[in-house]
């Protein structure tokens, strides 16, 4: 039986080999965006621009309070197979944690891309104010794009907050991008 870290290493090697074999030049077209935000935390607006070379995304967010701890994010990549979506990759991360819970390549790679297009990141703390991203797109030659073959997908981001003296996590926002890679 594989331990989790052994399975992760095996998956990473397979992904790297797939990347080297495919080296696809992908075009990403977003077909739909679903999002909801908790009005006690923030107001959020997402706009998609479909262009000939692919889709870009604008995000505007107004955060109503400072958050220094208790933020967690779940990121899932679902692939459409036989007419149904199935999770291919999933990761969870405590964004404000001082401890490193192992190597998680998805969150840092995504954060690196986010920071190129605005002031929104997956880094803590978050201060009351405005956050935005303009014309965000994943480059065709980015490792996260190359690892994924042509097809239909959903990227889901689910952000929750747990107050310092509370036992429950509260939904801050959910965001789902439905897209096709060709």
């Amino acid at each position: 039986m594989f331990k989790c870290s052994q399975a992760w290493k095996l998956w990473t090697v397979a992904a790297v080999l797939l990347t080297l074999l495919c080296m696809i030049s992908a075009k990403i077209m977003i077909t739909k965006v679903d999002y909801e935000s908790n009005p006690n935390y923030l107001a959020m607006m997402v706009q998609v621009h479909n262009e000939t070379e692919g889709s870009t995304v604008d995000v505007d967010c107004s955060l109503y309070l400072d958050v220094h701890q208790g933020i967690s994010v779940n990121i899932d990549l679902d692939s459409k197979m036989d007419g149904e979506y199935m999770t291919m990759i999933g990761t969870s991360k405590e964004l404000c944690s001082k401890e490193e819970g192992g190597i998680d390549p998805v969150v840092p790679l995504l954060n690196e891309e986010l920071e190129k297009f605005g002031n929104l990141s997956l880094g803590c703390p978050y201060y009351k104010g405005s956050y935005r991203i303009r014309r965000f797109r994943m480059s065709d030659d980015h490792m996260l794009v190359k690892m994924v073959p042509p097809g239909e997908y959903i990227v889901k981001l689910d952000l929750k907050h747990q107050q310092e003296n509370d036992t429950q996590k509260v939904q801050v926002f959910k965001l789902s991008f439905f897209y096709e890679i060709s």
Side-chain angles (χ1 to χ4, degrees):
M1 186 97 183
F2 285 116
K3 291 184 177 177
C4 186
S5 64
Q6 290 171 323
W8 181 253
K9 287 176 188 173
L10 189 60
W11 182 88
T12 303
V13 169
V16 169
L17 288 175
L18 179 63
T19 301
L20 293 173
L21 290 174
C22 292
M23 290 301 190
I24 60 173
S25 177
K27 181 165 94 171
I28 301 172
M29 293 300 289
I30 297 172
T31 58
K32 178 180 163 186
V33 177
D34 287 338
Y35 65 96
E36 60 184 72
S37 59
N38 183 332
N40 295 324
Y41 282 87
L42 57 89
M44 182 168 65
M45 186 160 148
V46 179
Q47 186 173 17
V48 174
H49 308 279
N50 284 323
E51 301 165 3
T52 55
E53 54 287 334
S55 297
T56 62
V57 177
D58 293 344
V59 178
D60 288 289
C61 184
S62 293
L63 183 62
Y64 301 136
L65 53 121
D66 293 340
V67 181
H68 300 278
Q69 53 73 41
I71 292 285
S72 61
V73 65
N74 293 321
I75 303 172
D76 289 329
L77 174 63
D78 294 359
S79 174
K80 193 170 192 178
M81 296 180 184
D82 298 326
E84 293 187 35
Y85 285 98
M86 300 177 68
T87 300
M88 288 177 42
I89 302 169
T91 187
S92 295
K93 179 89 173 154
E94 293 294 327
L95 298 180
C96 300
S97 175
K98 304 287 187 238
E99 301 172 15
E100 281 299 317
I103 297 172
D104 182 330
V106 176
V107 173
L109 286 171
L110 182 57
N111 199 44
E112 183 179 300
E113 290 303 303
L114 283 172
E115 290 176 346
K116 292 177 184 177
F117 296 91
N119 67 342
L120 184 60
S121 74
L122 297 175
C124 218
Y126 297 96
Y127 297 104
K128 180 172 31 175
S130 296
Y131 295 87
R132 61 191 280 174
I133 295 175
R134 288 292 174 262
R135 299 289 192 199
F136 175 79
R137 72 180 295 272
M138 293 293 285
S139 170
D140 297 348
D141 62 350
H142 192 278
M143 183 178 76
L144 288 176
V145 175
K146 286 183 175 183
M147 287 185 346
V148 182
E152 295 180 46
Y153 299 92
I154 306 172
V155 170
K156 297 186 249 179
L157 290 113
D158 184 6
L159 194 80
K160 294 185 178 184
H161 180 238
Q162 184 173 347
Q163 296 283 346
E164 193 168 350
N165 296 321
D166 204 342
T167 58
Q168 297 284 334
K169 288 185 178 183
V170 175
Q171 188 77 52
V172 176
F173 74 79
K174 281 184 166 185
L175 181 60
S176 298
F177 290 100
F178 294 75
Y179 66 96
E180 295 177 11
I181 296 179
S182 59

